[in-house]
Amino acid sequence: MDWPDLSLLATLRGHAIFDALSAIEADTLAGAGSLLYLQDGAELFASGDQPDGFYVLLEGALKVQVDDHAVAQIGVGEVVGEMGLVTADRRTATVRAIGAGIVWHLDGRGFEALLSSGDPMATGILLGIARDLCRRFRAVVDEAADRVPTVAQLPGGPKLLDSLQWADFG
Amino acid sequence: MIDVDTIHDAESLVVLSAQEREQLAMLMTDARFRSGEMVLQQDRRAPAAYMLLGGALHVERKVEEHALTGRIEIGEWFGVASLCDGRKVTAAVHALTDVRLAALGRGDFEGLLGRDDGLGARLLRAWLRSLSFQLARVNEALVALRGFQGS
């Protein structure tokens, strides 16, 4: 694959999925994906779609929508659609471009081939995605913790805090 | 090693084959804690990832004089993030009742990643599923907090 701008490749190589790979493996993996150019509002995938691999945002921004409500925003260097590597379940959210953008796409069938053959790249990719999820998870928990003292002082705040169901915090 | 039957029906391992569950069971150890005992301390690295096999656990992250509390269902993993990224856990876990856990130690996990039979990758795939569900759960809670504060 030809890279129109080496800064895009640098952004991709900065993602955690490349951390556990050798330089040769990283080059191979980067070349195994494809670049998609998105226009403002373009749909990357829609709720109900069959998963087709995962994406890393290299330029621009993405919004994640559930029932037409924005629930999250994806920034440069972040991964989206990674559950497509884990289950065959249909997509549960719609992801659209905010402004023009560029994403790197790794096809799910290519990944399955790596996994089936016992290629260590599959382990490296999954470990990188897991670390990325951990980073996002910790950021969410940290923001929530920062909000707790203020919420606890507001009328109804303690009741809300009691009612929230948290996971194991990692 | 633990008896494979103890993890056979675990929803969190649904992506592993029966043979892979047997291989995993050979690496896991039985861990038991008495009611009131601390399983994981906040702000320390987890020595292992654990699957809850029986009993009840309390999860708590202290925030000044307040706390965020969590839950872990039978068959769910905890300590996974700390094993994957090598960082400290963000909450304490202690036993509300006598509990039984299946533990995969840090060294065994790292050894799994280096194996050439793909089991490490498949376990990671199972854990990704757990991590994604947990991320969705905390995201929902954060959205509720933001909404409550009007920001």
Side-chain angles (χ1 to χ4, degrees), chain B residues 2-5 7-28 119:
Chain B
I2 59 170
D3 185 341
V4 68
D5 287 343
I7 61 171
H8 187 266
D9 295 325
E11 169 67 20
S12 58
L13 294 177
V14 71
V15 297
L16 299 188
S17 69
Q19 185 183 6
E20 288 165 348
R21 289 177 200 212
E22 281 181 24
Q23 292 172 328
L24 182 61
M26 291 175 69
L27 294 173
M28 299 185 82
L119 180 58

Side-chain angles (χ1 to χ4, degrees), chain A residues 86-158:
Chain A
V86 180
T87 75
D89 296 345
R90 292 176 182 273
R91 301 288 192 194
T92 56
T94 297
V95 176
R96 294 180 189 281
I98 303 173
I102 303 175
V103 296
W104 177 83
H105 176 224
L106 185 66
D107 185 83
R109 287 167 297 185
F111 176 77
E112 285 298 327
L114 289 177
L115 191 63
S116 300
S117 65
D119 193 312
M121 271 204 293
T123 307
I125 293 168
L126 290 168
L127 186 60
I129 291 175
R131 287 175 174 161
D132 187 58
L133 280 180
C134 293
R135 180 187 57 75
R136 287 156 59 187
F137 183 85
R138 290 175 186 279
V140 170
V141 172
D142 286 346
E143 183 186 336
D146 288 344
R147 289 175 179 269
V148 165
T150 305
V151 169
Q153 301 303 317
L154 298 173

Side-chain angles (χ1 to χ4, degrees), chain B residues 72-147:
Chain B
I72 298 169
E73 310 287 350
I74 301 287
E76 281 189 342
W77 290 87
F78 62 98
V80 166
S82 180
L83 229 61
C84 285
D85 67 10
R87 296 179 58 193
K88 298 167 182 172
V89 299
T90 56
V93 179
H94 74 261
L96 280 179
T97 64
D98 290 354
V99 297
R100 185 176 175 211
L101 309 169
L104 179 66
R106 187 174 288 277
D108 287 322
F109 168 66
E110 289 167 354
L112 254 186
L113 298 184
R115 281 169 53 155
D116 58 8
D117 60 2
L119 180 58
R122 288 184 174 81
L123 178 63
L124 277 171
R125 187 142 87 157
W127 281 359
L128 273 178
R129 190 179 160 91
S130 299
L131 286 168
S132 287
F133 288 152
Q134 289 177 8
L135 179 60
R137 207 188 291 175
V138 296
N139 254 328
E140 283 175 15
L142 177 59
V143 167
L145 284 179
R146 284 176 177 165

Side-chain angles (χ1 to χ4, degrees), chain A residues 10-124:
Chain A
T11 300
L12 179 64
R13 292 283 297 269
H15 192 275
I17 59 173
F18 291 90
D19 286 354
L21 304 184
S22 69
I24 292 174
E25 288 172 337
D27 284 343
T28 303
L29 177 61
S34 55
L35 293 180
L36 303 177
Y37 294 81
L38 306 174
Q39 294 185 328
D40 183 26
E43 198 175 86
L44 193 58
F45 55 79
S47 180
D49 283 355
Q50 289 283 1
D52 60 349
F54 76 103
Y55 306 83
V56 178
L57 180 63
L58 302 181
E59 197 172 289
L62 301 170
K63 63 181 171 186
V64 182
Q65 295 175 297
V66 175
D67 298 331
D68 289 332
H69 297 292
V71 295
Q73 187 163 319
I74 307 294
V76 168
E78 291 188 300
V79 66
V80 63
E82 68 279 359
M83 281 302 285
L85 299 184
V86 180
T87 75
D89 296 345
R90 292 176 182 273
R91 301 288 192 194
T92 56
T94 297
V95 176
R96 294 180 189 281
I98 303 173
I102 303 175
V103 296
W104 177 83
H105 176 224
L106 185 66
D107 185 83
R109 287 167 297 185
F111 176 77
E112 285 298 327
L114 289 177
L115 191 63
S116 300
S117 65
D119 193 312
M121 271 204 293
T123 307

